[in-house]
Amino acid sequence: MEWLYGFLTTAERLQEIDWREEAEVAEELDFRCHCFDFEALLEERVEEALETMPDGNGETLVYRGWMLREEEYACLESAVAERGYQLFTPSHAHREATYLPNYYSHVADLTMSAVWTEDPDIDDAWELAQSLGKSPWIVKDHVKSHKEAWLTACYVEAGASYDAFVRVCENLLAYRGERFERGFVVRPYVPLKLIGAHSSGMPVFEEYRLIFWRGNRILTDNYSEIGDEESVDFSAYDELGQRIDSPFFAADIARTASGELILIELNDGGSVGLPPKRHPYDFYRAVATIEDHATVFEDPFA
């Protein structure tokens, strides 16, 4: 198995995830790594993006890099196939673990209710939101929220008017810009256990990230650098590995203010950050352990 990393190759800037460090760790564990120009791919300069890739011979590539939209991921899948490779996570699996309307029916009993529009129509979102009961609500697109602007582009306060709802949605559209995905998702706000606050006003809750590989939960830890997961029982979520038709994805779990655990969202594994308390070695060692017993990919959902 080989790894394909999407690197930013132009301006130097602080990055949330150090993909190069991850690639170095993967190579230390005898995984072969390739890289491509992420920005060139987004600009549809596909040949240039993959110009350093050698020809393949049916090898499997695991994508690690920034979040790709459905059509961008399909483009990458097609491009590497032309060079003799296949992606470990095919396009259909990427869609299922990325877009809430695609995975919601598989996890509805583990998470809060949700309604969504198929386009950025705020009036439609407002009408659908009424079926959830009175606000407070959380607003996001089909893939992610902008919780960094919690008070202005994510959280709709209790008793909010139509105009207040519109302002939150418009701010979300502005923040997400061209990366706004499909339509609005509205969910009831479920009080979570608060453990801190960010300087932006964004609350920090007791949350955890669970990473699944080939149907197995291989890594679990706190979503932030605060907290301790050693005494938390996540066994009820192990079946997610069989519910979700993807060989590599992550689940974010939070504790409610009343003490229960609840699923917040899923993400494709290729673009998720590792839990901040974990060194990349922990992840790649866990993958290597499974791959030692899986020399060929057997689809658990076939």
Side-chain angles (χ1 to χ4, degrees):
M1 176 171 290
E2 304 182 10
W3 297 76
L4 179 63
Y5 295 86
F7 291 153
L8 294 167
T9 57
T10 55
E12 291 288 334
R13 69 178 191 177
L14 292 175
Q15 300 179 9
E16 182 182 355
I17 303 171
D18 190 341
W19 302 115
R20 295 180 187 275
E21 178 189 18
E22 285 202 14
E24 291 172 0
V25 172
E27 289 182 331
E28 289 176 5
L29 291 169
D30 295 326
F31 289 115
R32 188 180 180 190
C33 299
H34 307 281
C35 66
F36 73 95
D37 186 334
F38 183 84
E39 290 157 309
L41 180 76
L42 295 189
E43 294 170 2
E44 300 182 359
R45 294 180 283 115
V46 180
E47 290 295 326
E48 179 182 340
L50 297 173
E51 63 183 357
T52 63
M53 283 282 295
D55 290 337
N57 188 30
E59 294 91 345
T60 298
L61 294 172
V62 183
Y63 171 70
R64 284 291 280 163
W66 306 106
M67 185 179 292
L68 290 169
R69 307 177 80 160
E70 175 182 359
E71 60 273 17
E72 294 162 350
Y73 194 87
C75 176
L76 178 64
E77 181 178 44
S78 176
V80 299
E82 291 178 359
R83 288 159 176 77
Y85 300 91
Q86 61 179 333
L87 289 181
F88 179 64
T89 302
S91 286
H92 74 84
H94 172 266
R95 289 193 300 271
E96 173 148 332
T98 300
Y99 293 87
L100 181 141
N102 292 1
Y103 65 71
Y104 179 75
S105 64
H106 303 299
V107 301
D109 59 320
L110 300 173
T111 189
M112 61 280 263
S113 302
V115 293
W116 56 85
T117 66
E118 294 299 332
D119 54 46
D121 188 308
I122 298 176
D123 287 339
D124 285 351
W126 171 255
E127 291 186 13
L128 288 170
Q130 309 311 304
S131 67
L132 298 174
K134 295 181 179 180
S135 55
W137 302 313
I138 299 298
V139 177
K140 57 181 288 184
D141 67 17
H142 283 203
V143 175
K144 63 181 298 184
S145 67
H146 195 78
K147 61 183 180 181
E148 297 83 353
W150 175 259
L151 297 177
T152 58
C154 183
Y155 178 71
V156 180
E157 65 183 2
S161 65
Y162 167 79
D163 290 341
F165 179 83
V166 168
R167 283 195 296 272
V168 171
C169 292
E170 287 179 342
N171 288 336
L172 175 62
L173 282 170
Y175 279 118
R176 295 286 283 136
E178 294 182 355
R179 305 303 289 181
F180 183 87
E181 289 280 18
R182 296 182 180 173
F184 291 107
V185 171
V186 186
R187 314 192 75 176
Y189 171 72
V190 175
L192 303 178
K193 182 179 178 181
L194 185 67
I195 59 175
H198 189 271
S199 58
S200 66
M202 179 181 70
V204 178
F205 302 113
E206 181 182 334
E207 294 184 73
Y208 305 92
R209 173 152 287 171
L210 285 53
I211 297 180
F212 291 82
W213 182 272
R214 293 191 188 273
N216 303 286
R217 177 163 59 93
I218 64 167
L219 195 67
T220 303
D221 214 321
N222 298 87
Y223 188 84
S224 69
E225 295 183 353
I226 306 173
D228 181 8
E229 63 86 22
E230 292 183 2
S231 61
V232 181
D233 180 8
F234 295 102
S235 59
Y237 294 92
D238 286 344
E239 64 183 61
L240 285 174
Q242 303 306 316
R243 290 193 190 191
I244 304 303
D245 186 5
S246 172
F248 180 28
F249 68 95
D252 291 338
I253 311 294
R255 188 174 300 283
T256 66
S258 57
E260 299 87 5
L261 294 176
I262 190 169
L263 173 66
I264 301 299
E265 65 181 9
L266 301 182
N267 295 279
D268 175 67
S271 57
V272 298
L274 302 178
K277 291 184 177 180
R278 294 297 190 112
H279 190 276
Y281 181 88
D282 297 330
F283 167 69
Y284 289 98
R285 180 68 261 176
V287 170
T289 298
I290 292 180
E291 292 308 305
D292 283 345
H293 301 90
T295 55
V296 296
F297 174 57
E298 297 178 2
D299 188 346
F301 305 97

